[in-house]
Amino acid sequence: MTAESASIEEISELLRTIAHPARIRILQQLTRADACVTELSGLLQLPAPHVSHQLRHLRHARLVRRYRQQGRMHYTLTSVPAISLVLDVLKYCT
């Protein structure tokens, strides 16, 4: 596999990661404010285990990162270039 095809594969995987409806909703919420799983679960009306699972995918894609605050793990958007694409897509769709 060439470097070019690896890049195409990485881009394709990133787009597949973003394309999940729950992940889009999580990313939209995180553009407003950092949040923990419990907060996201309540705001999005999704079960906490489902939110946690989706956040794991977003972390793996380096779109969100986590940090501990007041004993809870909070999530925030990263500053990787891909997040600019995500934010542009969210703006376009809303």
Side-chain angles (χ1 to χ4, degrees):
M1 186 171 355
T2 67
E4 183 178 303
S5 64
S7 295
I8 298 297
E9 290 297 321
E10 291 169 1
I11 292 167
S12 178
E13 183 61 32
L14 175 66
L15 293 174
R16 276 193 297 273
T17 298
I18 295 167
H20 191 283
R23 293 179 204 143
I24 292 171
R25 293 176 63 204
I26 290 168
L27 291 169
Q28 282 178 317
Q29 187 59 45
L30 291 177
T31 64
R32 296 179 188 105
D34 295 358
C36 68
V37 171
T38 304
E39 293 166 333
L40 289 168
S41 176
L43 290 166
L44 302 175
Q45 298 181 356
L46 295 170
H50 183 65
V51 171
S52 182
H53 179 76
Q54 301 311 322
L55 283 165
R56 186 170 55 246
H57 285 284
L58 294 171
R59 275 193 0 257
H60 181 71
R62 296 181 309 226
L63 296 173
V64 300
R65 66 177 176 81
R66 63 185 178 179
Y67 63 94
R68 189 169 297 280
Q69 182 178 357
Q70 299 175 344
R72 288 189 168 192
M73 202 60 77
H74 283 72
Y75 293 83
T76 187
L77 298 176
T78 63
S79 59
V80 297
I83 203 63
S84 296
L85 168 68
V86 172
L87 295 175
D88 286 343
V89 168
L90 292 175
K91 286 179 194 174
Y92 178 78
C93 294
T94 56

